[in-house]
Amino acid sequence: MPAVEAAGTVQELSLPSRVLDRDYRYTIYLPDGYAEGCSTYPVVYLLHGSSGNERDWLDKGDVKPVLDQLIAEKRIPPTVVVMPGHRGMWWVDGDGEKSETVLLTELLPDVEHRFRVYAERDGRAFGGLSAGGYATIRLAFTRPELFAVGLALSPAIYGPLPPPNSAAMKDPAFLKNGALDADLWIRLNWPSLFDAYRAQPLRVPLYLNAGDRDRFEIAYHTAVLHRELMRLQPEATEFRVVQGDHEWRIWHETIGDALIYGLARMKAPRPGPAPAAAGKDGASCG
């Protein structure tokens, strides 16, 4: 993808996590013009897979030029994208570390304190690949009041249990006495959450995709979810089956489509007052 003249910037940051008793790392993409103005932006929290880190979407998914191009072509508005890193744990409070608690009670407030992003549902989205897609769907069903849309790429939502070749079989989030905690997997996976989601009034639009040759048969598992979503919220679900395996090529090539879907359903950037001055950290917006 050719470079565009108006390119965003990336920062590598961390927060002191009380939950984990260590620093929690994340990267953040700021759109072109962020430092010079005072606008408030929609924010997408983009999650990696089970063995990833906070640079996966940048280094393996090459997401920055995708964002630069989409914004330059006005296919999406200027947007802040946050990419946290928590190896393993599948973004849940399971048998390992409390990954969901860190995500929701420490990362979101830290980002909303440091950066000019919306701190309400209509301006906030979650997305991710594989384990991050699994977490996106969980959050849609358990915390629909928190975000406007979910973007789940090749979501690892196996039912009733993960296949033997899944990373979930060895991940600390789901291990009990050295083996898969089957009861926990079933309790945390979307079929156990769907009735409660259906019973409450909020609906979260969901973008879903999977490769037609996915080695974990995720296209099948995602089609099962999509069938239930079509019965409940037919105007708020999209499902794409694309050519390929469980691989970065798919996620790089489809994250743009997912972002276009998601950001069309979120608040646009809100212009702020003219900055009073510009210092080393950018504009002073008061």
Side-chain angles (χ1 to χ4, degrees), residues 33-285:
Y34 178 92
E36 294 76 36
C38 291
S39 296
T40 300
Y41 295 91
V43 57
V44 177
Y45 293 86
L46 196 55
L47 310 180
H48 60 67
S50 65
S51 61
N53 61 47
E54 69 279 0
R55 288 203 56 90
D56 264 22
W57 272 106
L58 295 165
D59 297 339
K60 298 178 181 179
D62 203 20
V63 74
K64 182 182 181 298
V66 175
L67 290 164
D68 289 340
Q69 191 77 35
L70 290 174
I71 293 170
E73 294 175 354
K74 302 187 185 305
R75 300 177 71 192
I76 64 172
T79 302
V80 170
V81 178
V82 180
M83 295 158 277
H86 200 165
R87 189 177 183 88
M89 305 306 155
W90 283 56
W91 313 103
V92 298
D93 290 358
D95 290 323
E97 294 177 334
K98 294 187 178 299
S99 187
E100 183 178 315
T101 293
V102 177
L103 191 70
L104 299 183
T105 69
E106 294 188 321
L107 177 64
L108 265 66
D110 191 72
V111 170
E112 291 165 2
H113 173 72
R114 293 194 193 191
F115 298 96
R116 298 189 311 277
V117 299
Y118 290 120
E120 62 264 16
R121 179 183 194 261
D122 289 348
R124 187 194 290 136
F126 274 96
L129 67 94
S130 194
Y134 158 94
T136 296
I137 292 163
R138 269 188 44 78
L139 290 167
F141 293 166
T142 61
R143 302 301 302 271
E145 78 283 2
L146 286 183
F147 63 104
V149 65
L151 315 172
L153 281 57
S154 305
I157 50 172
Y158 316 113
L161 297 175
N165 57 339
S166 169
M169 299 297 288
K170 298 180 180 180
D171 195 282
F174 306 111
L175 289 186
K176 186 176 183 180
N177 300 322
L180 178 74
D181 188 340
D183 289 341
L184 178 67
W185 175 268
I186 292 169
R187 188 167 71 251
L188 293 179
N189 203 13
W190 76 267
S192 298
L193 311 173
F194 198 65
D195 285 347
Y197 174 71
R198 179 165 37 212
Q200 57 82 52
L202 293 174
R203 295 290 172 253
V204 179
L206 279 165
Y207 174 100
L208 313 168
N209 76 14
D212 60 354
R213 297 192 300 276
D214 190 293
R215 75 197 78 161
F216 305 108
E217 299 184 337
I218 285 176
Y220 164 76
H221 295 291
T222 308
V224 173
L225 168 62
H226 182 246
R227 178 189 61 189
E228 296 304 314
L229 288 169
M230 285 297 292
R231 293 169 176 171
L232 179 66
Q233 52 183 63
E235 303 304 319
T237 180
E238 292 287 336
F239 178 35
R240 313 265 197 271
V241 177
V242 297
Q243 188 174 24
D245 197 352
H246 200 75
E247 57 185 327
W248 274 105
R249 180 187 61 79
I250 282 181
W251 305 322
H252 169 73
E253 291 177 358
T254 64
I255 185 59
D257 189 48
L259 289 166
I260 291 168
Y261 175 88
L263 285 154
R265 290 157 176 80
M266 298 169 65
K267 290 176 66 173
R270 181 178 65 230
K280 65 178 181 178
D281 296 322
S284 175
C285 297

